[in-house]
Amino acid sequence: MKIQLDSIHWNYQVPEEFEIKLENYIVDFLGGKNPLLEVYKPEESHVNFLKVNYQESHNLKSLTLDIYAFTLVEAYKKGYNTEAFSAEVQLERKTIQNQDYYLIRSQILHKESNYQYVSDVYLAEILEKEFMVTITYDNDEDKQKLEDSFFNSYFS
């Protein structure tokens, strides 16, 4: 599938066993915007999904991408470490299909149930806008499918 991002296209292939969420009713806690794309497993819509946002970002314009990424790490550390949850949040740089990203990986534990999952946020600046891909998973098989679908995507 080709998704229009201003003057370029993002080419993405939905992985097997996953579907595109047609109703974008989720409000993202960072920007309040509906996602550009959301891919999920029908039987597990709360985890094992990929979400893409592409939007104007006041933070990106005022802070630069580098500082914005560090700011997000701190926000995730505060947001995920609560009475009910604990999280380890790490930051690294990655290049995927010739595009540089910051990867913010949050390994999250629900303390009471001992349930663990991971949220990987890939952050880039595309045409002076924020391009953010969030991959959330709780098992290696779904992680691999979702990562491969993103890592094999490309801009044209």
Side-chain angles (χ1 to χ4, degrees):
M1 79 180 343
K2 279 188 178 185
I3 298 173
Q4 185 79 38
L5 303 178
D6 296 325
S7 62
I8 62 171
H9 290 101
W10 181 56
N11 301 273
Y12 176 78
Q13 182 66 47
V14 177
E16 274 186 40
E17 301 176 27
F18 287 78
E19 295 179 9
I20 295 172
K21 185 175 272 189
L22 298 175
E23 67 283 343
N24 287 331
Y25 60 85
I26 292 179
V27 176
D28 188 292
F29 78 94
L30 288 175
K33 304 265 187 200
N34 284 334
L36 179 67
L37 173 70
E38 190 165 1
V39 175
Y40 72 105
K41 281 184 97 166
E43 66 274 10
E44 302 175 340
S45 60
H46 68 288
V47 72
N48 300 317
F49 65 85
L50 176 144
K51 183 172 66 170
V52 180
N53 289 306
Y54 177 68
Q55 62 194 16
E56 292 280 341
S57 171
H58 172 72
N59 290 327
L60 188 62
K61 285 185 165 113
S62 63
L63 299 176
T64 75
L65 182 62
D66 298 339
I67 296 170
Y68 181 38
F70 286 106
T71 302
L72 283 177
V73 167
E74 292 308 311
Y76 290 155
K77 283 180 181 178
K78 287 179 186 161
Y80 286 136
N81 285 294
T82 64
E83 282 186 33
F85 292 91
S86 69
E88 219 178 279
V89 182
Q90 299 152 331
L91 178 69
E92 67 179 274
R93 287 188 71 115
K94 283 188 93 81
T95 301
I96 302 165
Q97 301 284 356
N98 297 317
Q99 175 63 52
D100 292 329
Y101 292 88
Y102 276 103
L103 165 58
I104 304 168
R105 173 165 287 159
S106 303
Q107 295 173 297
I108 304 159
L109 170 69
H110 182 259
K111 295 174 184 175
E112 187 175 324
S113 66
N114 211 30
Y115 173 68
Q116 287 187 298
Y117 66 99
V118 177
S119 177
D120 287 341
V121 174
Y122 293 86
L123 179 66
E125 186 173 351
I126 308 286
L127 300 173
E128 299 181 3
K129 290 185 178 178
E130 176 183 306
F131 183 75
M132 182 184 284
V133 177
T134 304
I135 300 175
T136 302
Y137 55 89
D138 67 358
N139 66 77
D140 290 339
E141 183 180 331
D142 288 328
K143 171 192 179 187
Q144 195 65 52
K145 287 179 182 178
L146 291 167
E147 275 187 350
D148 287 350
S149 74
F150 173 51
F151 294 171
N152 292 323
S153 71
Y154 61 95
F155 298 97
S156 62

